[in-house]
Amino acid sequence: MKTNRGFFSVVASLLLLAPERLRAAISTNTDLAIGKTASTNAAKVGDVLSFQLSVTNLGPAPATAAVVADVLPSGLKYLSSAGSGTYNPTTGQWNFVPGNPGSISILTITVQATNAGVWLNTATITVVTPGDTNFVNNAASASVTVSSVTNPPIVLNCPSNITVTATGPDGASAYYFATASGGCGPLT
C-alpha cells in the first residue's frame, strides 16, 4: 500500500495551524457590556438625580472607540455630565475609548425631574471598534418614578381657624402674629 506523504504533511500542518488561526480571528473582536443605575427610583418634580452608565471591556481585544446612545426621556431635563469621553445631550450620544480588556468606562448624567410619571432611561451600545461579538449585554435601563409636588395646606391655630393653601412650587408662606389675648392677626 502506497501512501502520499505530501497529503499527510498538508493535513498535519492544517491541524497544527488551525487553532492559531482561530485564536487570531477571535482576538480581533471584543465584547463590551453596559450597566446602568439611577441614584434613586423615586423623586418629585424639581428634584435632581443622576444616572450612572458603566461599560466594561470583556475582551479579548482592546477597544479603540465606542458610542452609546442614551437619549433622556421627556420628563427629565439634562443638567450636566461627567466621566470619560464626551456626552452630547442633544443627540444622546456618549463617545469614549473603552481601552484594554478589563477596563471600565463610567459616565454620570445629572438631570432634573420636570414632569410626573414613570421615566425609563435606556442606554445602548451602538458602535464598537473593533466589532462587538456579543449583543446580548449591549443595553441597560433604569427607571425613576416622579411624583408631582403637592403643597399641603398651612393651618394656623387662630380663633377663626384660618387655612391657607400653598399654590407655588416652593409652597406659600403666610405670616401672622399672636396677640396677648390669644388671638392672631396678619403681619403687615
Side-chain angles (χ1 to χ4, degrees):
M1 178 174 192
K2 197 173 190 183
T3 59
N4 187 338
R5 286 187 185 208
F7 172 76
F8 285 115
S9 173
V10 169
V11 170
S13 296
L14 288 175
L15 289 174
L16 292 175
L17 291 178
E20 288 303 316
R21 289 184 184 195
L22 182 60
R23 264 187 247 119
I26 291 173
S27 68
T28 60
N29 291 322
T30 193
D31 178 18
L32 298 186
I34 190 167
K36 183 173 191 125
T37 58
S39 61
T40 184
N41 61 1
K44 292 187 178 174
V45 171
D47 285 355
V48 174
L49 58 132
S50 63
F51 292 99
Q52 185 177 69
L53 289 72
S54 60
V55 175
T56 304
N57 183 346
L58 299 176
T64 57
V67 177
V68 169
D70 187 352
V71 177
L72 296 172
S74 61
L76 303 174
K77 175 184 166 190
Y78 173 83
L79 296 178
S80 66
S81 58
S84 59
T86 58
Y87 177 74
N88 181 328
T90 304
T91 63
Q93 286 194 337
W94 173 30
N95 294 282
F96 63 102
V97 176
N100 291 320
S103 297
I104 301 173
S105 302
I106 295 176
L107 175 70
T108 302
I109 302 172
T110 304
V111 298
Q112 183 175 32
T114 57
N115 294 352
V118 178
W119 303 110
L120 180 66
N121 184 221
T122 300
T124 305
I125 299 170
T126 57
V127 175
V128 179
T129 305
D132 195 324
T133 58
N134 179 7
F135 302 110
V136 174
N137 55 10
N138 285 6
S141 299
S143 67
V144 61
T145 301
V146 177
S147 58
S148 58
V149 175
T150 56
N151 296 316
I154 300 170
V155 178
L156 302 173
N157 293 319
C158 296
S160 61
N161 194 20
I162 300 169
T163 300
V164 178
T165 302
T167 56
D170 295 326
S173 298
Y175 298 99
Y176 283 79
F177 66 93
T179 63
S181 62
C184 63
L187 188 62
T188 54

